[in-house]
Amino acid sequence: MTASVFGAAYTAAFGQHRKNLLLLCLTIVTVLKTHAFLPVRTLGHANRGSLPSTAQVRHLVAPLQAAPAPSEEPPFWSLVFSDLFLLFDRTLDTVEDIGVHLRRATERDMDRRFRRDRLTTKAGTKKRVMILGTGWGGHAVTKVVDTGLYEVVIVSPRNFFLFTPMLAGSSVGTVDYRSIIEPIRAANPLADYYEAQALAIYPNNQTVRIRSEIPNEVGEYEEFLAPYDILVYGCGAQSGTFGTPGVREHAFFLKEISDAVKLRQALVDRFERANMPSVSMEEKKRILSFVVVGGGPTGVEFSGEFSDFLNRDLAKYYPALVDLVSFKIIQAGSRILPVFDAALQEQGLEVLKAQGIEVMLNRKVLKVEEKHIELDGGEILPYGLCVWAAGTAPRDITKSLIAAIPEQSASTAGQRGRLSVDRWLRVQGTNGSILALGDAVEVEGLPLPATGQVAAQHGAFLGRLLNREYDLSTPNPTFDLEKVNAFGKVANVLRLRGRLEAQAFSFLNLGLLAYVGQANALAQVQTGNLKFGEYTARAGNLLWRSVYLVKQVSTRNRVLVLNDWLRTRVFGRDISRF
């Protein structure tokens, strides 16, 4: 049994952090030197032979508290050093996470024999943390949160985490759908998961109205109320149409696995239809006219993946049709990939144009009909397939939660359909009982893009905030030393690295990646404000593949994705329709 526990612990802990192993040795030494030995020696001289009082502990850790942000913009070198310290701090967080994973792995091994008894005896003794959603944010919280401290309940209609950056590749068969998902139960086997839809949240009595996604014996979907002590809201956003008529009825989206499945079948359908002898040449050209609305990462990456699909696979199976294909990107702004630096935007535009993709900038879609798109200026654009990748919109449950909290309804963020949260990601007006993250929120004084990287950092931050047991109801979340004994005071100061007040959330930008087709990718490599370089073409593609492979959430996914890439390279993409 000891061997199995050790094996499980190694897999759960170090298997998730292999890319940080070189930093861990330095981290552990630094933790011991900076946050253990030095404070203990100081405390020993101050009160030799006895443990310190709360006042002494607070006095010693006061210099370690977060300093207030300066009112003026700091110089660039100051920002760089701040980012490096933040990166080092995140490495220390990784060490802390490993400890949680080690304990979880041991509990999971014991769980096979004692789960029922343990759950029965501990029922009602822990606070319940309910996580809504299994996206980037919800998945990160689930991974990090300590089930030894909380009863963790996950509610989501999707029982898996999806690596969304590779969704465009799955829509054309570059990778298989199952290679880029992980069951949410695998993320934390000690958390309870329910495949259900959250319909409404009632902040006043701290309950959520939930409807099961699985019908009962008579075909009914059961509804019930579920209580929580702390709610982590990670429902994200849905594809936004901005009120454009006809989008929901006629366009395809690319946000969920189901969207990629529909799109993949629709692509092959268009070629099979155009291949029919009864179809006129003019109609063939219309059917094979593909339009992407939106020049952000989703629209550009799908365009690049489709270009590969067309030139490497469809051209082989439909040689008479490939010259009839046209592909257009319609972008309302003056640039594609607006989150990238200008040089990479230009490079991406040139690569797309070199592949025969027409990019229409500063154009607005007014209406989508079954066979044509109406643009501003009265232009009519015939099409056979339209992919809508023009942004996001709030979900209905987000809007209902905003309406249920007066402070949210009155906020600027609430009027835009986002939850207003403070720098500790607490939903304002809920006294710390609701935490929110990802695309559904707007952090006070910290404008951030709606990306998976931001949501994942939100989730990890909240998981650690919960693990450190700060009082979330106080203006600045604090740890109450009075609730522990003298030895506990020292132990918790060391555990919290001297931070009796929780640090606010800080986003560390780790760069941007986008695939643009024909083995070309854009890579903007940086750590916060410190930029290490911009790479395009083959070098960018190597970085794109390497990072996406490493960032897969499990070894299983890395093996599957690598296998899919090799299979596609050797045998091509499958065009079977079923």
Side-chain angles (χ1 to χ4, degrees):
M1 176 162 177
T2 302
S4 63
V5 170
F6 180 79
Y10 178 86
T11 301
F14 294 96
Q16 299 296 329
H17 303 282
R18 286 193 182 96
K19 56 182 176 293
N20 292 322
L21 284 179
L22 292 178
L23 294 172
L24 289 183
C25 294
L26 175 62
T27 298
I28 293 170
V29 171
T30 305
V31 170
L32 293 175
K33 179 179 178 181
T34 306
H35 302 294
F37 294 150
L38 181 58
V40 169
R41 285 200 301 268
T42 306
L43 291 172
H45 286 292
N47 192 7
R48 189 179 302 274
S50 62
L51 289 168
S53 66
T54 300
Q56 289 171 323
V57 172
R58 290 190 181 279
H59 173 73
L60 287 166
V61 302
L64 299 176
Q65 305 300 323
S71 56
E72 297 181 0
E73 183 70 21
F76 176 74
W77 65 265
S78 177
L79 293 174
V80 170
F81 277 111
S82 176
D83 290 333
L84 291 176
F85 279 121
L86 181 57
L87 178 63
F88 181 72
D89 200 50
R90 295 289 170 85
T91 307
L92 297 180
D93 290 338
T94 297
V95 178
E96 186 177 338
D97 295 343
I98 287 177
V100 174
H101 291 158
L102 286 169
R103 293 196 302 273
R104 185 184 300 163
T106 305
E107 290 179 15
R108 183 168 68 241
D109 190 80
M110 295 173 59
D111 183 65
R112 298 168 185 159
R113 297 174 59 185
F114 304 116
R115 180 175 179 85
R116 179 176 299 176
D117 294 339
R118 182 166 58 79
L119 290 178
T120 302
T121 56
K122 292 190 177 181
T125 61
K126 300 178 184 177
K127 284 186 176 181
R128 169 176 284 187
V129 173
M130 181 179 292
I131 303 171
L132 299 184
T134 54
W136 284 93
H139 178 264
V141 177
T142 302
K143 283 271 193 182
V144 173
V145 68
D146 190 349
T147 48
L149 297 174
Y150 302 98
E151 176 196 354
V152 180
V153 175
I154 307 162
V155 176
S156 175
R158 192 179 75 183
N159 71 349
F160 57 86
F161 164 75
L162 169 64
F163 191 81
T164 50
M166 299 189 73
L167 197 57
S170 70
S171 69
V172 299
T174 305
V175 295
D176 188 72
Y177 316 120
R178 294 191 176 276
S179 300
I180 56 174
I181 63 175
E182 180 191 49
I184 195 62
R185 287 186 172 90
N188 189 340
L190 298 184
D192 293 321
Y193 167 77
Y194 297 95
E195 189 167 333
Q197 179 81 34
L199 301 178
I201 300 169
Y202 306 106
N204 292 335
N205 58 6
Q206 297 188 189
T207 57
V208 180
R209 183 158 59 91
I210 294 171
R211 182 182 63 203
S212 171
E213 288 288 292
I214 309 298
N216 59 19
E217 293 79 2
V218 295
E220 297 176 341
Y221 294 87
E222 300 172 342
E223 292 188 13
F224 53 92
L225 289 175
Y228 65 84
D229 294 301
I230 300 173
L231 181 70
V232 178
Y233 186 86
C235 295
Q238 61 182 338
S239 298
T241 66
F242 306 102
T244 307
V247 175
R248 295 286 179 195
E249 295 80 4
H250 305 300
F252 290 84
F253 299 95
L254 197 53
K255 193 167 180 62
E256 300 288 346
I257 285 288
S258 57
D259 297 330
V261 173
K262 294 175 184 177
L263 183 54
R264 184 172 177 176
Q265 180 170 316
L267 289 172
V268 178
D269 283 351
R270 298 307 186 269
F271 279 85
E272 293 294 352
R273 175 58 185 160
N275 193 52
M276 292 295 176
S278 59
V279 178
S280 66
M281 183 59 66
E282 182 179 356
E283 182 67 3
K284 288 179 188 288
K285 291 181 179 180
R286 183 195 67 79
I287 293 173
L288 297 177
S289 296
F290 299 92
V291 176
V292 171
V293 181
T298 300
V300 168
E301 289 204 327
F302 172 74
S303 304
E305 292 284 357
F306 177 83
S307 176
D308 290 351
F309 188 32
L310 175 67
N311 292 298
R312 296 179 185 175
D313 302 286
L314 295 175
K316 178 171 61 176
Y317 296 112
Y318 305 95
L321 299 177
V322 68
D323 290 335
L324 304 178
V325 174
S326 67
F327 197 102
K328 297 179 175 65
I329 298 176
I330 302 174
Q331 170 70 338
S334 60
R335 302 173 298 171
I336 62 169
L337 299 171
V339 294
F340 282 75
D341 287 345
L344 289 179
Q345 293 173 2
E346 291 298 324
Q347 182 66 26
L349 185 61
E350 292 178 8
V351 172
L352 292 173
K353 289 181 177 180
Q355 298 172 77
I357 298 174
E358 181 182 353
V359 181
M360 306 173 67
L361 301 174
N362 298 308
R363 302 302 302 271
K364 184 179 180 181
V365 175
L366 302 180
K367 190 176 184 180
V368 179
E369 296 284 1
E370 183 179 2
K371 295 183 178 181
H372 69 268
I373 295 173
E374 182 179 336
L375 301 177
D376 54 346
E379 182 178 354
I380 301 299
L381 185 66
Y383 78 94
L385 187 145
C386 174
V387 177
W388 190 270
T392 60
R395 296 189 184 275
D396 292 339
I397 188 173
T398 304
K399 291 186 284 189
S400 68
L401 180 56
I402 292 172
I405 305 172
E407 291 86 346
Q408 293 294 320
S409 302
S411 69
T412 303
Q415 294 169 6
R416 288 197 289 263
R418 287 191 168 194
L419 291 165
S420 176
V421 300
D422 63 16
R423 293 294 293 271
W424 293 272
L425 306 186
R426 299 175 296 183
V427 175
Q428 296 180 356
T430 64
N431 198 34
S433 63
I434 300 181
L435 311 173
L437 43 72
D439 297 353
V441 310
E442 187 171 305
V443 183
E444 183 181 29
L446 189 66
L448 293 171
T451 64
Q453 183 181 170
V454 171
Q457 291 189 31
H458 279 169
F461 171 82
L462 285 182
R464 292 161 187 152
L465 190 69
L466 292 169
N467 292 351
R468 292 163 186 167
E469 301 180 274
Y470 289 111
D471 183 357
L472 300 178
S473 64
T474 57
N476 292 341
T478 58
F479 183 86
D480 185 8
L481 281 177
E482 300 298 336
K483 70 180 182 180
V484 296
N485 58 28
F487 180 79
K489 290 179 173 61
V490 178
N492 280 290
V493 167
L494 296 180
R495 180 172 69 96
L496 299 174
R497 297 180 226 154
R499 295 165 181 163
L500 298 181
E501 288 188 5
Q503 286 190 312
F505 172 77
S506 297
F507 174 63
L508 183 64
N509 190 343
L510 298 176
L512 299 166
L513 298 164
Y515 184 70
V516 291
Q518 302 298 297
N520 291 285
L522 309 178
Q524 185 172 308
V525 183
Q526 64 186 90
T527 298
N529 296 281
L530 182 60
K531 295 183 179 180
F532 296 100
E534 297 175 348
Y535 303 89
T536 59
R538 304 291 176 175
N541 184 52
L542 179 61
L543 278 171
W544 178 81
R545 290 185 183 275
S546 300
V547 172
Y548 276 16
L549 196 62
V550 170
K551 291 296 289 182
Q552 295 299 316
V553 295
S554 68
T555 302
R556 166 190 172 274
N557 291 94
R558 296 184 189 100
V559 172
L560 290 176
V561 167
L562 184 59
N563 177 71
D564 289 342
W565 282 341
L566 293 174
R567 171 183 50 78
T568 299
R569 185 71 177 177
V570 176
F571 301 107
R573 298 164 182 82
D574 185 12
I575 64 167
S576 301
R577 182 186 182 279
F578 50 88

